[in-house]
Amino acid sequence: MLYNGEERWRQEGLEQGLEQGREQGTRRMLARLIVKKYGAIPAWAQTRLDQAGPEQLETWADAILEAETLEALLSEAPRH
C-alpha cells in the first residue's frame, strides 16, 4: 500500500512539473513574439506576463496576431 501511495505521489509530481514546464514555455514563446512585434517588453508588461496563468497566456497567444498595440494585447478586456 505504501508503494502505491509513493507511486501516485511521484506521478502527481511529474504531472505538475510537466504542466509548469508547458506554462513556462508558453510564457517564453509569447515574450519572444511580443518582442518581435512590439519591441522591448516594458516592466509593466513583463509583470503581467509573469503573473498570468496558463489560460490567460493562451488567450494572449491567440490574440497577438490581431492586437495592434501591446497595451491592447494585454488589456483587461476579453477579446472575441
Side-chain angles (χ1 to χ4, degrees):
M1 198 73 174
L2 181 62
Y3 175 76
N4 286 339
E6 288 177 4
E7 186 63 32
R8 187 172 9 149
W9 177 78
R10 288 181 189 164
Q11 185 64 32
E12 288 173 3
L14 177 61
E15 289 173 9
Q16 183 179 15
L18 289 172
E19 181 61 32
Q20 288 174 348
R22 283 190 291 269
E23 184 176 329
Q24 289 174 342
T26 301
R27 186 174 281 110
R28 279 194 305 268
M29 179 59 68
L30 184 56
R32 289 178 62 195
L33 292 172
I34 287 171
V35 168
K36 287 189 175 288
K37 184 167 183 177
Y38 307 111
I41 301 175
W44 67 267
Q46 187 62 58
T47 299
R48 300 267 342 257
L49 285 172
D50 292 343
Q51 295 174 349
E55 289 179 13
Q56 182 63 67
L57 293 170
E58 288 181 16
T59 297
W60 289 336
D62 289 341
I64 196 167
L65 295 176
E66 297 172 357
E68 293 186 24
T69 66
L70 181 57
E71 291 79 5
L73 176 68
L74 301 183
S75 72
E76 297 290 333
R79 302 179 133 333
H80 297 291

